Amino acid sequence: MTPTNVKTRFAPSPTGRMHLGNLRTALFNALLARSRGGRFLLRLEDTDESRSSGAHAQTLMADLRWMGLHWDEGPEAGGEAGPYHQSERGAVYERYYRALEAADQAYPCFCTERELELSRKAQRAAGKPPRYAGTCAHLTAEERERRRAEGRRPTLRFRVPAEETVVFHDLVRGEQRFPTDEIGDFIIRRADGTAAFFFCNAVDDALMGVSHVLRGEDHLTNTPRQLLLLRALDLPQPEYGHINLITGDDGAPLSKRNGSLSVAELREAGWLPEAVLNYLARLGHHYTGEVESQLLDLQGLADAFRTDALGRAPARFDRHQLSHWQQLAVHRADEATLAPWLERLDDAVPADRRRALLAAVRDNILFPDDLAAWGQRVFGPLPALAPDTEAVIRDAGPAFYEAALAELETTAGDFPALAKAVRKATGAKGRQLFMPLRAALTGLCRGPELGPVYALMPVDIARCRLEQARELAATTP
RNA sequence: GCUCCCAUCGUCUAGCGGUCAGGACGCCGCCCUCUCAAGGCGGAAACCGGGGUUCAAUUCCCCGUGGGAGCGCCA
């Protein structure tokens, strides 16, 4: 594979937990970089001090690591284009602000947030799109100085050129055209001196050598602003691709209200990273042919990742389909992957039987809670029986369980021997033989193969189960 | 309000003017099997509405409808 200059990035703001939407964005960027032998960069957009926190930043990075989305450049990984926290890059931005001001492509704006809010309100009331009215766009030096003397601290606004059209090719949606007269002058530096999103997001992509950006479609209409900035500063422009929206059950953008899960929640519930990534990769990207339904590792997903296979239509997050991938992932998982599930078993399950328990029920479970439930069924007390299970036990009759109990000692741990002995004593075979045993021993009419489960079950627990079944079989409903 | 994006089975999608509109997941059935699952085989299931262009439209154009985005000193 030849080295390339492809570099993608994931640039979250550390203001909260990572959710499925940004996870998918991170994934697509990582896959694009890997598919072309490039690099995947992490940058933290934390210029909003009131909303950002170091704790959230640490959690974001831990989430990415847990998912296997390791970054090649960025915080804790190093690189030549740091710092990778935007809050630490004020000095980097300073020269670009000066350049824009010197060329009169940016100007100080003394309007207060209150004034701006009222202006937007008035424009909306008049049926017009809210846009900066240009109050400070043409102040004289004296006017600016007077405002400073009054104690006003200005923001810095970018002066959008008039009567032009910004054209760019979107990796997902093709050619896009935006007349600049639809774009008002926008803030690039806050009054407190910190960089605003439009500025630092674009400038950092250029300075960090980012070549491709896949991001949410909400940024499609922001792209002309950023391209104008990069052009004004004579900085390279990355190729942008605006990927499709993920929706919840109700068709609205996915959020906590309609089904989104945080990475923390996924982890807590026992979803495997491989399952989540295989599903998210197919939520907005199409995998063709045999790999369509195969569980792939990260590199496998990357190998088949193509920007021309990215979808435009919103895609609905479907927990059932995610479950399908969980099933495949659990089946394929090695012991190390499922080791945390053993740790969650309660004390009823002896430490030296846990791995055997997992092996016995593995084809039958999706989550650590399922494993724990089977641990209870094998080593602990049974929950109340369902009516269909009781019916099976009654149908078998007390004699059936009497026969099983008689053979219990001689067949301890050996289910085929138990089944053979009960068949011989009662004449029951096939379903009529196995189902009553299953119902009595596990309390269910379905589940994993009985042999390994019975082998694990302590003999006194098996006896107790069979005795309870014999009693129940003698009753009438 | 203005501008922009989007619309194919229940869900994810293939399609880029002529296809019995294909695949996957889910669902149903059969095989395998003590049951559940896995695996194999099969089945049901979709082009938002109207108009136009064309010999021919899911596909190209227009309008509508529905969904969404941007127009923040959030990102």
Side-chain angles (χ1 to χ4, degrees), chain A residues 65-89:
Chain A
R65 285 193 196 99
W66 179 63
M67 279 287 167
L69 296 179
H70 302 282
W71 55 100
D72 303 301
E73 188 178 337
E76 299 180 20
E80 297 176 344
Y84 295 97
H85 288 72
Q86 283 186 328
S87 59
E88 297 168 12
R89 292 175 64 81

Side-chain angles (χ1 to χ4, degrees), chain A residues 150-162:
Chain A
E150 287 169 6
R152 293 196 188 212
R153 300 182 65 191
T155 63
L156 193 66
R157 278 189 188 269
F158 181 75
R159 201 187 298 280
V160 173

Side-chain angles (χ1 to χ4, degrees), chain A residues 145-413:
Chain A
E145 196 45 45
R146 178 156 70 254
R147 283 169 168 74
R148 290 187 205 276
E150 287 169 6
R152 293 196 188 212
R153 300 182 65 191
T155 63
L156 193 66
R157 278 189 188 269
F158 181 75
R159 201 187 298 280
V160 173
E163 296 179 11
E164 294 184 17
T165 299
V166 179
V167 183
F168 66 96
H169 175 78
D170 189 86
L171 291 170
V172 182
R173 296 159 203 277
E175 180 175 290
Q176 301 293 309
R177 309 173 68 89
F178 292 86
T180 57
D181 292 344
E182 310 266 354
I183 305 170
D185 297 347
F186 52 92
I187 289 174
I188 56 175
R189 187 178 64 201
R190 298 186 182 91
D192 66 4
T194 59
F197 166 80
F198 286 126
F199 177 88
C200 51
N201 180 268
V203 164
D204 282 347
D205 281 344
L207 298 183
M208 293 177 177
V210 172
S211 62
H212 295 75
V213 176
L214 296 177
R215 61 185 182 178
E217 68 171 18
D218 49 337
H219 292 297
L220 179 62
T221 43
N222 293 336
T223 307
R225 289 174 178 75
Q226 300 187 304
L227 293 176
L228 287 169
L229 270 168
L230 293 173
R231 195 183 71 182
L233 290 167
D234 199 25
L235 287 172
Q237 302 178 352
E239 293 191 57
Y240 293 108
H242 293 88
I243 56 185
N244 65 339
L245 184 67
I246 303 179
T247 66
D249 294 337
D250 56 0
L254 191 62
S255 70
K256 275 169 62 178
R257 288 183 300 97
N258 63 2
S260 184
L261 296 159
S262 68
V263 173
E265 285 166 325
L266 291 168
R267 189 172 194 174
E268 174 58 30
W271 294 96
L272 297 180
E274 207 171 16
V276 176
L277 295 181
N278 267 266
Y279 176 55
L280 287 184
R282 292 171 173 82
L283 211 57
H285 181 277
H286 178 57
Y287 284 86
T288 307
E290 283 186 349
V291 296
E292 175 173 19
S293 53
Q294 286 174 6
L295 184 75
L296 301 170
D297 62 13
L298 200 64
Q299 196 55 49
L301 289 170
D303 289 343
F305 190 85
R306 305 185 333 275
T307 54
D308 64 6
L310 288 165
R312 301 192 300 269
R316 192 162 297 195
F317 174 74
D318 184 332
R319 196 97 61 119
H320 277 101
Q321 294 203 42
L322 176 56
S323 294
H324 162 74
W325 293 104
Q326 177 77 353
Q327 194 165 31
L328 297 188
V330 171
H331 281 201
R332 203 171 89 166
D334 58 18
E335 277 197 12
T337 299
L338 301 185
W341 295 23
L342 304 189
E343 290 159 19
R344 290 168 62 157
L345 292 168
D346 69 20
D347 291 340
V349 185
D352 63 340
R353 303 294 184 85
R354 294 181 176 200
R355 291 164 75 186
L357 173 70
L358 175 61
V361 305
R362 182 216 248 308
D363 287 349
N364 208 254
I365 61 173
L366 288 182
F367 297 106
D369 284 352
D370 300 331
L371 177 65
W374 275 104
Q376 271 299 323
R377 285 186 185 278
V378 175
F379 294 95
L382 276 183
L385 301 184
D388 66 324
T389 308
E390 291 190 343
V392 164
I393 291 172
R394 285 196 178 93
D395 285 349
F400 180 94
Y401 294 106
E402 196 61 59
L405 280 160
E407 302 296 337
L408 193 58
E409 299 299 335
T410 57
T411 61

Side-chain angles (χ1 to χ4, degrees), chain A residues 43-102:
Chain A
R43 174 174 79 234
L44 295 171
E45 304 203 329
D46 57 353
T47 57
D48 187 339
E49 292 176 348
S50 66
R51 299 167 190 263
S52 305
S53 90
H56 282 128
Q58 289 303 315
T59 302
L60 281 167
M61 291 190 279
D63 287 346
L64 287 172
R65 285 193 196 99
W66 179 63
M67 279 287 167
L69 296 179
H70 302 282
W71 55 100
D72 303 301
E73 188 178 337
E76 299 180 20
E80 297 176 344
Y84 295 97
H85 288 72
Q86 283 186 328
S87 59
E88 297 168 12
R89 292 175 64 81
V92 172
Y93 303 140
E94 215 24 65
R95 63 172 277 206
Y96 296 102
Y97 285 133
R98 282 198 225 104
L100 289 173
E101 283 191 272

